[in-house]
Amino acid sequence: MRMGQTRPGLKDVAERAGVGVSSVSRVLSGHPDVSVKMRDRVMAAVDEIGYRPDIFARGLRGGPTMSVGLVIGDISNPLLSEISLGAESELRRAGYSLLFVNSMNDPELEAQNILLFQDRHVDGLLLSLSAEDDAGVLAALRTIQAPLVLIDRELDDSGEQLMPSAVLCDHRGGMRAAIAHLLDLGHRRIGCILGGHARFARMRRQGVEEAYAERGLPPTYNIVQGPLDADHGQAATSRLLDMRERPTALVVGGNQLLKGCLRELRSRRVVVGADLSLISCDETDLTEMHDPPIAVVRRDTHQLGRTAAGLLLRRIQDPEEGPVTTVHPTQFVPRASVVPVRETAGA
Amino acid sequence: MRMGQTRPGLKDVAERAGVGVSSVSRVLSGHPDVSVKMRDRVMAAVDEIGYRPDIFARGLRGGPTMSVGLVIGDISNPLLSEISLGAESELRRAGYSLLFVNSMNDPELEAQNILLFQDRHVDGLLLSLSAEDDAGVLAALRTIQAPLVLIDRELDDSGEQLMPSAVLCDHRGGMRAAIAHLLDLGHRRIGCILGGHARFARMRRQGVEEAYAERGLPPTYNIVQGPLDADHGQAATSRLLDMRERPTALVVGGNQLLKGCLRELRSRRVVVGADLSLISCDETDLTEMHDPPIAVVRRDTHQLGRTAAGLLLRRIQDPEEGPVTTVHPTQFVPRASVVPVRETAGA
DNA sequence: ATGAAAGCGCTAACAG
DNA sequence: CTGTTAGCGCTTTCAT
């Protein structure tokens, strides 16, 4: 029974101001050829009736929607959410809004979401994909006209058709530094728990290998690769601790894995920073507040998001711009979870 | 230099299938009056040319956009992100997509974001607002036609114009149970650190008061109210521990506050579960993995999100539906961070 | 410098 | 049951 109360349109503004609709349109889209008088009249009318342009009608004509899509595997991961926060703040400064969608780390959903953003005419896409080589995702991406920025991912894009920009992290360097630190403290049997099939896992593995190779040491490390979740973290920890030549230090590649790892250590009553040295990748509440605090390979996630947004904006605003890749530093932060091997009780 | 390659429209499908545009439209929107033959012809053509409807053109006509907006204070808060995950999963099942926007806990941004969603013609709004009484936010909300669902918030809507549904949590009951547990263990001087001005803080305060009142005990608790952040958590902890009659137990109203609290306890070398009993609200990695594990007042955040989405969908799909409020249980989970007062060393 | 008018892709009358 | 047609609110020629 309620009145239609349709929101005011361009026509209403034009009527109110006693001018033509196209003049109103020109004023609102900053067209140069408008008299000051006209601009004032129109703006006054706009304020009076509280006009807001209809984004759909604009989009229909193919104009920009001033929005950017972010496809993200798991927003509940604090790192990813910080990245998105950084991206959002940068985009907002430029007048763009960021639309999130979760893909639950499911490539099929991811592909759907990419298409969904295309339907919504986003002006660009930020991608933190769960898989770098999923055929469906790649196919969806190829239908996208808008510029793409990958966040800490490398696409397995054989055809090289989609020319994404990318913001990457120097995971290899960070891992190399972490391992080097352990080696300096006398550790030789180091267990590494890695997860996922994305770039970061490959790079971290390389970092481990390089650290040993640089010092001419035999590869007495053990890398346990698996899914990127707490269960793998726990299982891998268990497996490493059960080895005959039990590692004196563990390096864990991410917060989910860390959670599982700590769970296992607790159930075995292994004391971090005494019985065992421990390093994790990426700072979270857990690493910071743990007793003892856990050494980490850290990176500036907020900045990562901001840079990603910046690269995207550049390409949106100037379509001639080519893809750019930036690499962001990582930093090893030693903490009490790491002790020299001498103090470590053997098996 | 690239070819315009404009995406196929309804007209193209109609041409391909040799039928009229409206028939195509009818088939696609599931209109009952279409022959099987027609449906097949059209669907074939749709597949052949890879047609996807233009959501903007649909929206322009005032139709549903199959999207829901979520205004959220801080997506990097694991609780809020879990809620949004729950909401998203429910919405997806119904074919809706969820658009997130962060408001950085800033009411002004919040109001802007509400307007932004309105511009995008969302079919409904999920709100986890940072303030319940901000004039700008309320004004923005009043311009919204779509149904609203509040998540764990009560609006200070004097005019009662906007009839939101709501999903609430029984914070009062949870807090009452937590305090009762402490009282049973002999604690009398209990410090409570609360933060924020939203419903949950009020309810928790009431829970504390009720627990004491129920047993006819004098109010020997101390409630320190402040902003909902780690700094307040730390400052409040410091203040409570400096009291002449130092509390034997602390109850902390949220994960941010907890972080600050733990920071202070660590710097003072206060041992949780021995020198002091500790309870927090809401489960996070920190409460679970802490040594000793921290007792919590828990709630099912994923379910909360799902229910919120469900309530919204009901109102979207049947505009005659009135607003509904559901209250979700909370549960006190005792853990090793809580010990009887006898074992606790006094000041 | 300004206004009139033609669509953008779609849905919903309205005719057949 | 199906095709034709008139807009939805806006931008953009094209005249003036």
Side-chain angles (χ1 to χ4, degrees):
Chain A
M1 201 57 80
R2 49 170 106 141
M3 302 304 260
Q5 195 194 333
T6 168
R7 48 185 260 179
L10 213 49
K11 200 161 46 180
D12 304 280
V13 180
E15 238 162 54
R16 190 86 164 81
V19 301
V21 279
S22 47
S23 294
V24 180
S25 174
R26 274 188 283 261
V27 169
L28 267 61
S29 35
H31 194 91
D33 294 351
V34 275
S35 66
V36 184
K37 199 168 163 184
M38 174 64 84
R39 164 162 286 112
D40 292 346
R41 286 176 68 112
V42 169
M43 291 314 274
V46 163
D47 286 346
E48 281 167 36
I49 67 179
Y51 167 78
R52 313 199 95 218
D54 186 321
I55 206 170
F56 278 52
R58 270 190 180 159
L60 192 50
R61 298 293 313 231
T65 58
M66 301 306 281
S67 65
V68 163
L70 169 61
V71 177
I72 201 169
D74 176 13
I75 194 69
S76 73
N77 184 324
L79 286 157
L80 294 179
S81 68
E82 265 173 46
I83 288 172
S84 66
L85 245 40
E88 192 179 32
S89 74
E90 186 74 16
L91 288 167
R92 186 178 4 250
R93 291 175 2 134
Y96 284 74
S97 52
L98 180 63
L99 308 177
F100 295 81
V101 175
N102 249 293
S103 59
M104 314 288 291
N105 288 321
D106 173 358
E108 191 174 335
L109 264 179
E110 223 148 60
Q112 266 178 245
N113 286 336
I114 290 167
L115 262 21
L116 182 132
F117 277 137
Q118 187 190 33
D119 290 347
R120 292 199 135 61
H121 297 211
V122 294
D123 299 329
L125 233 41
L126 257 21
L127 302 165
S128 177
L129 300 170
S130 54
E132 297 177 315
D133 57 358
D134 184 82
V137 169
L138 289 173
L141 249 20
R142 276 191 265 274
T143 72
I144 302 276
Q145 305 293 319
L148 264 31
V149 176
L150 298 174
I151 300 179
D152 206 24
R153 295 290 185 280
E154 267 168 342
L155 242 38
D156 194 345
D157 176 28
S158 37
E160 289 175 351
Q161 298 165 53
L162 24 85
M163 313 225 310
S165 289
V167 290
L168 303 177
C169 296
D170 181 22
H171 297 292
R172 181 168 48 185
M175 184 56 93
R176 203 195 302 121
I179 299 290
H181 183 79
L182 289 173
L183 292 176
D184 284 348
L185 292 178
H187 293 272
R188 288 300 177 269
R189 299 195 308 279
I190 301 177
C192 295
I193 304 175
L194 299 180
H197 298 282
R199 179 180 180 278
F200 55 81
R202 290 194 300 278
M203 292 295 123
R204 283 172 182 155
R205 172 184 288 268
Q206 287 181 20
V208 176
E209 294 165 355
E210 283 179 19
Y212 274 79
E214 270 173 5
R215 312 192 166 213
L217 291 169
T220 53
Y221 51 81
N222 255 286
I223 299 180
V224 186
Q225 167 77 36
L228 191 57
D229 58 34
D231 284 345
H232 169 55
Q234 179 157 8
T237 303
S238 174
R239 194 169 127 199
L240 286 166
L241 293 183
D242 281 341
M243 286 177 47
R244 215 158 16 120
E245 298 265 273
R246 176 174 166 164
T248 58
L250 249 40
V251 181
V252 177
N255 47 355
Q256 293 292 89
L257 296 172
L258 175 64
K259 201 171 151 187
C261 173
L262 289 176
R263 210 173 262 157
E264 184 65 19
L265 293 180
R266 171 194 292 178
S267 82
R268 291 183 181 232
R269 303 216 151 51
V270 173
V271 178
V272 172
D275 305 336
L276 183 80
S277 289
L278 182 63
I279 298 178
S280 183
C281 293
D282 293 326
E283 185 86 272
T284 64
D285 285 359
L286 212 51
T287 54
E288 215 179 329
M289 302 307 299
H290 190 268
D291 182 28
I294 298 171
V296 290
V297 177
R298 196 200 257 165
R299 53 179 165 156
D300 187 341
T301 45
H302 200 269
Q303 177 61 46
L304 196 66
R306 295 216 312 267
T307 304
L311 293 187
L312 186 59
L313 286 172
R314 227 160 65 185
R315 293 186 69 185
I316 288 174
Q317 283 156 6
D318 178 4
E320 303 304 306
E321 285 271 351
V324 174
T325 294
T326 64
V327 178
H328 293 243
T330 55
Q331 180 200 5
F332 172 63
V333 184
R335 285 189 182 141
S337 66
V338 176
V339 289
V341 74
R342 275 163 278 289
E343 296 179 22
T344 302
Chain B
M1 200 60 81
R2 51 171 104 140
M3 302 304 259
Q5 196 194 334
T6 170
R7 45 185 261 180
L10 212 50
K11 200 160 48 179
D12 303 282
V13 179
E15 240 162 51
R16 190 84 164 84
V19 301
V21 280
S22 52
S23 294
V24 180
S25 174
R26 274 189 284 259
V27 169
L28 268 60
S29 33
H31 195 91
D33 294 350
V34 275
S35 65
V36 184
K37 199 166 164 183
M38 173 66 84
R39 165 163 285 113
D40 292 345
R41 285 176 70 110
V42 168
M43 292 314 274
V46 164
D47 287 345
E48 280 166 35
I49 66 180
Y51 167 79
R52 313 199 94 217
D54 187 322
I55 206 168
F56 279 52
R58 270 191 182 160
L60 191 51
R61 298 286 291 142
T65 58
M66 302 306 281
S67 64
V68 163
L70 169 62
V71 177
I72 200 170
D74 176 12
I75 193 70
S76 73
N77 185 323
L79 286 156
L80 294 179
S81 65
E82 264 171 48
I83 289 172
S84 66
L85 244 39
E88 193 179 31
S89 73
E90 186 73 16
L91 288 167
R92 192 186 349 260
R93 290 174 3 133
Y96 284 74
S97 52
L98 180 63
L99 307 176
F100 295 82
V101 175
N102 248 291
S103 60
M104 313 288 292
N105 287 321
D106 173 359
E108 192 173 334
L109 265 179
E110 224 148 58
Q112 268 179 244
N113 286 335
I114 289 166
L115 262 21
L116 182 133
F117 277 136
Q118 187 190 34
D119 289 348
R120 291 199 137 59
H121 297 210
V122 293
D123 299 328
L125 233 40
L126 257 20
L127 302 165
S128 177
L129 300 169
S130 54
E132 297 177 314
D133 57 358
D134 184 82
V137 169
L138 289 173
L141 249 22
R142 276 190 265 273
T143 73
I144 300 277
Q145 304 293 318
L148 265 31
V149 176
L150 298 174
I151 300 179
D152 206 23
R153 295 289 185 280
E154 266 168 344
L155 243 37
D156 194 344
D157 177 28
S158 37
E160 290 174 352
Q161 297 166 53
L162 24 86
M163 313 223 311
S165 290
V167 290
L168 303 177
C169 296
D170 181 22
H171 298 293
R172 182 169 48 187
M175 184 57 94
R176 203 194 302 122
I179 299 290
H181 182 79
L182 289 172
L183 293 176
D184 284 347
L185 292 177
H187 294 273
R188 287 300 176 269
R189 299 195 306 280
I190 300 177
C192 295
I193 305 175
L194 298 180
H197 299 283
R199 178 179 181 279
F200 54 84
R202 291 193 300 278
M203 291 297 123
R204 284 173 182 155
R205 172 184 288 270
Q206 288 181 20
V208 177
E209 295 164 357
E210 283 180 17
Y212 274 79
E214 271 173 4
R215 309 185 170 220
L217 291 168
T220 53
Y221 50 81
N222 255 285
I223 298 180
V224 187
Q225 167 76 35
L228 191 56
D229 58 35
D231 284 346
H232 169 55
Q234 180 157 10
T237 303
S238 174
R239 195 168 127 199
L240 286 166
L241 293 184
D242 282 341
M243 287 176 47
R244 218 162 11 122
E245 298 266 273
R246 177 173 165 163
T248 57
L250 250 40
V251 182
V252 177
N255 47 353
Q256 293 291 89
L257 296 171
L258 175 64
K259 201 171 149 184
C261 172
L262 289 176
R263 211 173 261 157
E264 184 65 19
L265 293 181
R266 171 193 293 180
S267 82
R268 293 184 180 231
R269 301 213 154 52
V270 174
V271 179
V272 171
D275 304 336
L276 183 80
S277 288
L278 182 63
I279 298 177
S280 183
C281 294
D282 293 326
E283 185 87 272
T284 64
D285 286 359
L286 213 49
T287 54
E288 211 179 331
M289 302 306 302
H290 190 270
D291 181 28
I294 299 170
V296 290
V297 176
R298 197 200 258 165
R299 52 180 166 155
D300 186 342
T301 45
H302 201 269
Q303 177 61 46
L304 196 65
R306 294 217 312 268
T307 305
L311 292 188
L312 187 59
L313 286 172
R314 226 160 65 183
R315 293 186 69 185
I316 289 175
Q317 283 157 6
D318 179 4
E320 302 304 308
E321 285 272 350
V324 174
T325 294
T326 65
V327 178
H328 293 244
T330 54
Q331 178 200 6
F332 172 63
V333 183
R335 285 189 183 141
S337 67
V338 176
V339 289
V341 73
R342 277 162 275 290
E343 296 179 20
T344 302

